[in-house]
Amino acid sequence: APKAVETEAPVVTEAPATEAPAETEAPAVTEEATYPPAPEFIELGSSISLTGNFGSLGNLILPGYQIAVEHINAEGGVFVKEYNTKIPLRLTYYDDESDPTKAVSKMETLFSEHELTAYLGGGGSSMHAASIPIAEKNKVPYLGISFALYKIHQQGYKYLFSPFPKSPNQTEDVFKILNEAIPEGERPTKVAVFAYNDDWGKEWGGLVKERAPEYGYEIVVYEENPVGVNDWTAAIQKAKAAGAEMLLTLPIFPDGSGMFKTMAELGWTPKFSLVIRAPEGVNWGESLGKIGEYVTIFPGWHHGAKFEGVDKLNARYEELYGRPADLLTGPAYACVQILAQAIEKAGTLDRDVIRDTIASGEFSTVIGKVTFNADGTGNVLDPLIQWQNGKMELVWPAEHATAPLIYPAPAFEDR
Amino acid sequence: MKKNLSFVIALVVTAALAAVPLFVKKDSLLTYLCMILLYVSLASSWNILGGYTGQVNLGHSAFFGLGAIATRLLWFAGWNILLAMLVGGLLAIAFALLIGSPAFKLRGAYFTIGTLALGQILYATVGNLFPQISSMPVQDLISYTLVTRYYLFLAVALITVLAATLVANSRWGLGMMAVREQEDAAESLGVNAFQHKLLALVLSAFLAGLAGGAFAFFQIGYYPQYPFSPIWTLDSTMMAYIGGTGTILGPIIGAIFFVVLKEVLSLNLAEFHPTVFGILFILVVLFLPGGFMGLWKRIKDKQQKKRESMAELSHP
Amino acid sequence: MLKLTEIDTFYGDLQALWGISLEVREGEMVSLIGPNGAGKTTTLQSITGLLRPAKGSITFDGHDLLKVPPDKIVDLGVSMVMEGGRVFAGMTVLENLELGAYGSRARKERFETMEHVFKTFPRLKERLNQRAGTLSGGERQMLAIGRAMMSKPKLLMLDEPSFGLAPILVDAIFEMVKGINKQGVTILLVEQNVRAALELADRAYVIENGRIVGEGSGEALLSYESVRSAYLG
Amino acid sequence: MLLQVEKLNKAFGGLKAVNNVDFSIQSGEIVGLIGPNGSGKTTTLNLLTGFLKPDSGSIMFDGKEIAGSPRCSMCGNGIARTFQLVKPFLNLTAVQNVMIGRTFGKEATMNLKLAEEDSFSILEKVGLRSRAYVLAKDMTLMQRKRLELARALAAKPKLLLLDELMAGLNHAEADEAMETIREIRASGITILIVEHIVKAIMGLSDRIIVLNMGEKVAEGTAQEIMYDPRVIDVYLGKSHA
Amino acid sequence: MLQPLAQNIIYGILIGALYGLAAVGLSLVFGVSKFLNVSHGELLMLGGYASFWVFKLLKIDPFLSIPLTIIFLLLIGFIFYRLIFSRLIKLEVEKKIQNSLLVGFGLSTILQNVALRLWTADDRSITTAYSGLSFELAGLRLPAVRLISLAISVVALISLQIFLKKTFTGKAIRATVEDWQSASLMGINIHRVYLLAFVIGCALAGVAGTLVSICYSIDPSMGLNWTLKSMVVMVLGGLGSMIGTFVGGIILGVTESATAFFIGGNYRLIAGLLLFLIILIFRPQGLFGTKEGDR
Ligand SMILES: Nc1ncnc2c1ncn2[C@@H]1O[C@H](COP(=O)(O)OP(=O)(O)OP(=O)(O)O)[C@@H](O)[C@H]1O
Ligand SMILES: Nc1ncnc2c1ncn2[C@@H]1O[C@H](COP(=O)(O)OP(=O)(O)OP(=O)(O)O)[C@@H](O)[C@H]1O
Ligand SMILES: [Mg+2]
Ligand SMILES: [Mg+2]
């Protein structure tokens, strides 16, 4: 049997479709209208990387989807006007082994085997890039997070929605925040960029190059590596020699940990470092200890964010995994929330109507109010997180902050 | 008589495969069939050099990737897909010719790892030169049909298997096997080992290039580097081995076994499917050290021996 | 000393030996002759444990060899020189000799034994640190025999020691084998050079198609017409 | 003159494995090449068949200079050989082994059917007809040697080089082998034979060439060689004198 | 210019030593039993995780826990050999290479998956109190952790070399490599030799894994890259030569670092592999391989 997750809560299977009308306040009920028989479930499908290179992402995203489904089903599901009843959600997911081709066939299987209402994405831009076109071809709304690559959104896909900060936000926000938080004269104006030669790396690097001067920063070192090269010695030496004060980079974990260990060894401490990707999991702090302190990230969310529902999510996550929700859990959870709200608003399981509803609506989620632009990018909060004392603290924007930004970072040898 | 029988079976199987889209409407099933056909092409083309000629090539994905990249670029530039694929195949040949002479200076493990390095170089270079994702334009997605892809994969697989069969049963095939078994002896009998290896390489490369072209036509969005990944080589090598190298049917059986087993397991066991796959895979290897075709051969040998001993009994 | 009774040995499903029985007494030199593929090598390998007979028994000095693991058979005093003087080509002459004394019994006395071997083969002492692969055919054969001697065998088995050697070396090798036998080592010799083998041996067995078909003193067999026509041509 | 070798030289590092060797072979002859182990016999064969490139010297075969030609062209020139350490195509059947000789040799045929038929009759000649469908790896050493001979014959050479084909045969078996070799000669093939079995080499060869340490030390008929004191000294030893 | 270059080359050597150590184990196993164990990288991963957990849970310094890691991998190696690889010993060489590839492939799939389930897909890295420490010498920085790693690699290599060249057991291993039948006739228990070589290979992979987890990071899918790298290094050095393999690793490491320095990180991998191929063109048997070392 395919791996159908009705979540751990028994509610799903029991949720009797007939109970729903009584509860609803919908005026339609009064007219004794006849409704078509409701499907047993609202089917959501996900091809997600649980093994292979992107396994760490997939395993963070999946619980977000699962808990959201569980929470919504605990309320009986989503009310769909067309059937005049609440219908529970059902998530079916397959492991694509971090292989784009397998992802394609898993996407097709999901579509063929289930009356899908929407796809939920996996993790990593290359996986999204392979999957999204299938959704587009099958005309099924696709909600995906955990990729900042903006370019995907410029392909004209109609069914893609991503409530997640993108490269243009990140590369602009970092300078904005610094200029707001740090008085002129103390700012780390000499910037080293350690980028990648993949398309996200290039997109990101290009944007940084463009923005830095606008905000009064100068890029003194720009180094590029292929993904998976964990030796950054040459780049670090150049940065050190150029007197760079700030590091902007987006390494995967092995590269990032290698980078920071070498930085400590070579004695170059940037006053401020924005390190996207590698430090987004709790393993960063566990693995790197003091060396990994004070780096900042733009993960799209933090469990300390003061939005409705965050506490409930954290509580459940704590129950399951013994810690507050991880950074990707919130956005994943939000995807399901958005879908549920859109379906309810649309009042139908017609995918095109749902798509239009997502595109035009405003949704309130654990990541805050979300609306979508025409290209499918979400207007979402882009909080800055900093590693402090082995924990990730939300340091920006101030109204959500759990701790103040620490600047400048103390030198490695003084920690 | 036996030849005729296999010919008839082959025809029937081909006809059945050609009729599949008439009955199968599910895109998921068609996608799996496409994957199987793709791997049949890859494993069979690998087998021409690795199985028949004994040159274990771990850089096969280079040819697959070259075919894919050329086809994709030309196709997006508006070329006819078949023409684009042909150019992809020719590009693979060009690369084969370029590396043939230095590569065949190496023997055994040195050749194997040398080709692995070649494949990795291409993988890294393409990653450097084409970092941008290649996506089919959205307006083309509307007209995307899997059935066309299916037929293309089928055609490539048929061409590959047919070419392999023709070569294996020719004088060239004999020469290749001689080179595989004992290069010195082969040369002493007049077999030009280099020529045979090169021919096998060129053919293997061309067919893999065609497969790459078909892949480029099939996969909607991917990084140009992806078809160059060593995983393709590893998978097709494993398929050829587990089916039985140096035979026509081996790689076909291997590909089917591999893809189907993997798919069935991953659809049914979300978290532990690789473990179960690995265990089954190892068990098959331990019990069938010559691959599936090895088992087949042993059964035939046993029968043959029985017949011989019967004959001996009747004419002492 | 060595006694084989009713040995059957198989290669897979192929039976190579059929009820072989033979005996070698202490101090004797016994030859085993027979046409190609008769099973001579197979017999020797069955004794050393390289092959395991399916049936029958092999006793040596009161030990049941079929119950002894192959690597312990050498320790009992059984040593064999394989066809073609196979030495460890990548290792030095010295290392080859040392490995000959790998068994625990021989290892203790390896230095004395080596001196002894050098007395029999002075050539080896001159080439001590040369890689065995660069030795000439005759020297290799000497090394192979010397290496076997290093295990202090009570029984030394030689498989075609004259294979591929120039006539002048053949004579020399046979002289050495005779010398070793004189020192008290029992010898079981397989040879295609039937005349020399029979002349040297105290006794001989004739093996054909995996079966013993004749047995007798060397001289006696030499004079048999059937043996003459079959092996001496 | 079928083969004319002049001033042939080959050294491995400091070792002169073949040193200024001259000899020639007439069509239809059987010539023996003997010498102590390591005297350069196999090396000479390797030079003749292109497996080694001579340092200097000339090899005229059938009116054509062939020194240094690639080894895979030698068979086409009309020279076939066997190897001292036999090199069968282990995973092919006996008949496939022979077919390769037949389809790539001097009078190569492209017609596989024809080649197969021919191969059977060649296997018959060397006494392996009943083993035609046996894989070479399932054969004994002696069968492999016969197979090697069959394969070389299938290439239809003018000159056949045999390297210790008879090593490991007893005298009676050697007699049979000698008979086969005579038949081959009778079919019009010239033979150069390297062998350590004195009886065979003396019995077969019209002429014998003796090498020692890479140099030719004697040449003559069997009788002449038998009693040549130098040959006795370096090769035969006293017992054969 | 000179100083940064020197600094870079130092790092190249330090990294290269790791490559070398990783490859030595693979090379030993391949030399002795002709097993091309493509799960070598996964064994490395197991070694890394072993040190990581011992460090995390028991707070034992990763360098000090190396003996534990070695024991753990010896055990793993023993199990794998007994359960799986011993069944391939009797096959002919070609089939042995082929089947060990297959079995190794299956094994690596299993190990990756099991590691993923046991330890999640999270990357891990060991950072001790002295990580990041370095000594300054003539303006060059010598990182403590990597220096110790280098020392450990060298010690491991030299011990292996002494073991192979000087001890009876080591000679028995080499003898078995050359001719197992003759070796068996010498009274060498060849099954024990194969087992021994295999588990030593595993242990070396484990040590390499420890060092990787200290200098870099580990995760369940790290294996393939290390296997590929080890294979390249093994061949670069020449099959059968342990010293050669180690030197090959260092050459590769230095080439990569120098390329990153002069041309850019994008070309380090390519340059390393190109150098490898160029060396092979001139020395088809690898740097320290012998001519007959083929196959
Ligand atoms: N490895 C093997 N596999 C299968 N059969 C074998 C093997 N080795 C030998 N045989 C068979 O066993 C029989 C005896 O062979 P054996 O090698 O003992 O003969 P031999 O008397 O030593 O001959 P020779 O004079 O050629 O050395 C032969 O018929 C041969 O076919
Ligand atoms: N490829 C090689 N490299 C180095 N030395 C070689 C090579 N081939 C042969 N030799 C050496 O050249 C000399 C002649 O060898 P060759 O094989 O020709 O001897 P042979 O006369 O055939 O001896 P045998 O009767 O033992 O077969 C020997 O000393 C040998 O060690
Ligand atoms: Mg024998
Ligand atoms: Mg010779």
Side-chain angles (χ1 to χ4, degrees), chain D residues 97-115:
Chain D
N97 266 270
V98 180
M99 275 170 74
I100 287 160
R102 190 68 192 85
T103 45
F104 287 92
K106 187 158 166 28
E107 290 163 34
T109 168
M110 306 286 155
N111 182 340
L112 294 189
K113 259 234 136 56
L114 180 74

Side-chain angles (χ1 to χ4, degrees), chain D residues 83-120:
Chain D
F83 293 89
Q84 183 169 1
L85 297 169
V86 283
K87 299 183 172 182
F89 304 127
L90 287 173
N91 289 301
L92 302 184
T93 60
V95 64
Q96 280 177 314
N97 266 270
V98 180
M99 275 170 74
I100 287 160
R102 190 68 192 85
T103 45
F104 287 92
K106 187 158 166 28
E107 290 163 34
T109 168
M110 306 286 155
N111 182 340
L112 294 189
K113 259 234 136 56
L114 180 74
E116 189 168 7
E117 279 162 22
D118 278 8
S119 301
F120 278 120

Side-chain angles (χ1 to χ4, degrees), chain C residues 45 48 50 70-72 74 80 82 86-91 95 98-103 107 110 131 147, chain E residues 165 168-169 171-172 174-176 178-190 192-193 290 292:
Chain C
Q45 295 196 340
T48 56
L50 276 180
D71 51 300
K72 294 282 178 284
V74 191
M80 171 171 168
M82 296 229 277
R86 291 200 345 216
V87 291
F88 301 122
M91 305 174 82
E95 284 174 326
E98 279 178 344
L99 280 166
Y102 187 82
R107 201 183 295 189
R110 62 181 186 278
R131 270 184 56 212
R147 190 178 64 182
Chain E
K165 286 270 146 101
F168 253 94
T169 316
K171 284 175 195 167
R174 284 163 58 216
T176 310
E178 300 222 353
D179 181 349
W180 68 268
Q181 278 190 324
S182 300
S184 172
L185 282 177
M186 302 295 107
I188 295 167
N189 183 337
I190 54 161
R192 200 174 302 152
V193 165
T290 42
E292 60 277 358

Side-chain angles (χ1 to χ4, degrees), chain C residues 20-50:
Chain C
I20 294 278
S21 298
L22 60 82
E23 197 180 350
V24 182
R25 294 183 209 108
E26 184 117 30
E28 265 191 323
M29 160 123 59
V30 174
S31 287
L32 190 57
I33 61 168
N36 270 295
K40 304 181 294 292
T41 301
T42 309
T43 307
L44 296 194
Q45 295 196 340
S46 302
I47 299 169
T48 56
L50 276 180

Side-chain angles (χ1 to χ4, degrees), chain C residues 4-7 18-23 205 212 215:
Chain C
L4 278 69
T5 22
E6 297 285 320
I7 292 295
W18 309 72
I20 294 278
S21 298
L22 60 82
E23 197 180 350
Y205 291 88
I212 299 281
E215 171 190 359

Side-chain angles (χ1 to χ4, degrees), chain B residues 2-20 150 154 158 161-162 165 249 252:
Chain B
K2 237 183 108 194
K3 272 214 174 118
N4 283 340
L5 186 67
S6 353
F7 184 68
V8 170
I9 292 177
L11 267 188
V12 170
V13 170
T14 309
L17 283 172
V20 160
Y150 174 82
L154 180 61
L158 284 177
V161 172
L162 191 72
T165 313
L249 276 181
I252 302 178

Side-chain angles (χ1 to χ4, degrees), chain D residues 105-169:
Chain D
K106 187 158 166 28
E107 290 163 34
T109 168
M110 306 286 155
N111 182 340
L112 294 189
K113 259 234 136 56
L114 180 74
E116 189 168 7
E117 279 162 22
D118 278 8
S119 301
F120 278 120
S121 59
I122 294 167
L123 282 172
E124 180 93 61
K125 247 188 240 168
V126 300
L128 283 178
R129 177 66 179 79
S130 65
R131 313 280 292 164
Y133 290 112
V134 174
L135 295 183
K137 68 173 173 192
D138 294 331
M139 292 185 157
T140 62
L141 179 63
M142 290 307 140
Q143 287 170 342
R144 289 178 189 189
K145 285 194 167 184
R146 282 192 248 170
L147 182 60
E148 187 131 315
L149 178 62
R151 217 168 52 179
L153 284 177
K156 311 258 172 202
K158 286 187 189 158
L159 175 65
L160 180 61
L161 312 178
L162 302 176
D163 198 356
E164 301 210 23
L165 196 64
M166 292 186 221
L169 297 186

